[in-house]
Amino acid sequence: MRKILFILLVTQLLTTKAFSKDFDYHIEKVQYQNLVAELYLPKAQDKLAAVIAFGGSEGGLSAGKANGEMIAPHGVAVLGLAFFDAPGIAKTLDQIPIEYFLHAVDYLASHPKIDKNRIGVVSGSRGSEAAFLMATLDKRIKSVVVTTPSKVAWNGLTQAKSAWTYQGKDIPALGLALDSKADLLERFTVSLQNKKKVVQSQFKFEQINGPLLMISAQNDQVWPSYQMAKDIEQYLNEREFTYPVIHDTYATGHGFSQQTAPKIKQSIVQHIVTTL
């Protein structure tokens, strides 16, 4: 279910041709640490801003590829990253080391064509968890875009353990409430009512070192992304967060819609180009 919805999101948002293509680009195969990634590199004289782009529970490189094709023509390099379900890395979204994502930042920071001071991250759904963890742990991330975000870390897809680890330890995470017969949205919603565990597993958003764009779905049938994005807004307002926070929301489901895709695509590209 989640895999289908995220593929729908990628297809609708990232194949819409809403912008003219000003930059040619080529794709470099990445050979760094154990990264499974492709670098979409625009042709330019000066060093480039770059974003690390990855998907959610569908795994593989599809979201990275779609983001590369969408963003690179606007003069921003894209490291399309797979973090599971690809050769040489985890097969499932379980116990993924956040160091893997930080190696992606290391790679971009060391690349001769990339400006190490202009690196961001773009992801969505389950991938928003990794995006927030990256941005709160690594000050080199200067801009964040997340669609249908979570405010907390969750357990993996096949294990009753955190989906994420850092320095060999589990990132505190929530598990789904109720049983598999219950509606998925209800399972997430009931889990989020455990205030103690929410506090333990909520990301330290105030540690993000740059502007944040969140795009949520008011009728999200997977998890309550609209309410979680509102909670993140409130959290940052209470802590007088110094960077701009934009929360765009649409009266759609988790995968958004063909009607909303052009505007969402435009807002993602605009945020990246103007904040990096």
Side-chain angles (χ1 to χ4, degrees):
M1 178 66 166
R2 280 169 285 179
K3 180 174 181 179
I4 293 170
L5 288 166
F6 197 88
I7 290 173
L8 176 62
L9 168 66
V10 168
T11 302
Q12 291 176 341
L13 298 192
L14 305 184
T15 61
T16 306
K17 296 182 179 179
F19 292 87
S20 61
K21 295 185 177 182
D22 299 321
F23 289 83
D24 291 329
Y25 65 90
H26 67 277
I27 303 172
E28 292 185 356
K29 203 72 177 176
V30 173
Q31 293 184 330
Y32 186 88
Q33 298 284 349
N34 64 329
L35 296 182
V36 177
E38 297 173 335
L39 180 63
Y40 292 72
L41 197 63
K43 296 178 182 178
Q45 295 292 327
D46 299 327
K47 287 194 173 185
L48 298 160
V51 293
I52 300 164
F54 48 88
S57 60
E58 83 285 4
L61 280 169
S62 60
K65 173 181 172 64
N67 275 284
E69 293 173 352
M70 178 179 78
I71 298 167
H74 301 281
V76 176
V78 178
L79 184 67
L81 184 69
F83 62 93
F84 76 98
D85 195 21
I89 56 175
K91 292 184 178 181
T92 59
L93 204 175
D94 294 283
Q95 299 276 281
I96 308 296
I98 294 302
E99 286 88 347
Y100 178 82
F101 298 92
L102 302 184
H103 288 327
V105 184
D106 294 337
Y107 168 75
L108 288 178
S110 66
H111 196 287
K113 295 287 188 180
I114 303 300
D115 184 344
K116 65 181 181 181
N117 296 310
R118 294 192 292 153
I119 298 174
V121 61
V122 181
S123 190
S125 195
R126 288 302 308 260
S128 70
E129 299 167 51
F132 281 135
L133 287 165
M134 288 175 67
T136 56
L137 290 168
D138 195 326
K139 295 296 184 183
R140 294 175 295 177
I141 298 294
K142 301 293 179 61
S143 182
V144 179
V145 178
V146 288
T147 58
T148 54
S150 175
K151 67 177 183 178
V152 298
W154 294 92
N155 281 351
L157 289 183
T158 69
Q159 299 179 28
K161 296 180 180 180
S162 178
W164 319 102
T165 68
Y166 182 58
Q167 297 180 342
K169 298 179 180 179
D170 283 9
I171 297 288
L174 285 177
L176 288 177
L178 310 177
D179 60 33
S180 59
K181 295 179 182 178
D183 177 78
L184 187 57
L185 176 60
E186 184 182 9
R187 298 186 72 189
F188 278 112
T189 301
V190 172
S191 293
L192 288 165
Q193 292 171 1
N194 187 326
K195 302 301 182 185
K196 182 178 179 180
K197 288 189 176 180
V198 167
V199 169
Q200 293 172 343
S201 58
Q202 186 165 275
F203 305 118
K204 294 178 173 60
F205 300 103
E206 70 275 16
Q207 295 180 7
I208 294 173
N209 193 32
L212 169 62
L213 170 63
M214 298 182 289
I215 303 173
S216 70
Q218 294 170 24
N219 301 318
D220 198 321
Q221 66 274 52
V222 176
W223 61 18
S225 63
Y226 172 71
Q227 186 58 55
M228 287 195 286
K230 292 292 290 183
D231 291 346
I232 295 168
E233 278 189 287
Q234 181 179 345
Y235 179 98
L236 289 172
N237 285 335
E238 290 172 352
R239 286 156 181 79
E240 298 181 345
F241 188 61
T242 57
Y243 295 101
V245 176
I246 298 173
H247 175 202
D248 294 337
T249 187
Y250 295 86
T252 68
H254 194 78
F256 298 106
S257 68
Q258 284 188 320
Q259 291 72 30
T260 60
K263 188 173 181 180
I264 293 173
K265 177 181 177 181
Q266 180 178 358
S267 66
I268 292 172
V269 173
Q270 181 177 350
H271 179 88
I272 292 165
V273 170
T274 58
T275 61
L276 292 174

